[in-house]
Amino acid sequence: MGWNTVAKADEVAVGAAVVVDVAGKRLALCNTGEGIFAIDDVCTHDGGPLDQGQLDGKEIECPRHGARFDVTTGRALCLPAVRPVRTYPVRIEDGEVEVDLP
């Protein structure tokens, strides 16, 4: 699929997660203050939407059961999640957020 423009960079505030739809896939764009990262907007524990959780630095917490993930690597950081969330490469070009989908 390649690089897809999904949002304007200034639409993703520091400390926020914004949902975008790319070819039928829900992604959460997470602005850690060090960059914008893209992950699947689904908790690997129970399928809940991660964008509705709290983003604290590089960690996002699922609002349902408290599982946390590193948005830069996708790694599950605590139970009840044990599987990582999928991440996608992101770049900013001319103020636009682009995500690379396989």
Side-chain angles (χ1 to χ4, degrees):
M1 239 185 124
W3 291 98
N4 296 269
T5 300
V6 296
K8 294 192 179 300
D10 61 5
E11 295 174 339
V12 188
V14 173
V18 174
V19 172
V20 295
D21 185 285
V22 184
K25 179 180 279 293
R26 280 178 53 98
L27 302 180
L29 300 178
C30 304
N31 188 338
T32 66
E34 297 177 18
I36 297 175
F37 298 87
I39 60 173
D40 279 338
D41 185 37
V42 61
C43 178
T44 59
H45 165 246
D46 75 350
L50 291 175
D51 74 290
Q52 294 178 15
Q54 182 70 33
L55 179 64
D56 183 17
K58 295 179 182 178
E59 296 182 14
I60 194 162
E61 182 176 74
C62 179
R64 289 190 181 179
H65 300 112
R68 288 192 327 273
F69 300 89
D70 182 324
V71 300
T72 66
T73 65
R75 187 170 63 102
L77 301 173
C78 71
L79 295 173
V82 293
R83 290 181 294 124
V85 67
R86 186 165 184 182
T87 62
Y88 301 89
V90 174
R91 69 182 181 195
I92 309 296
E93 294 285 332
D94 298 322
E96 306 255 322
V97 180
E98 297 180 351
V99 177
D100 187 14
L101 294 179

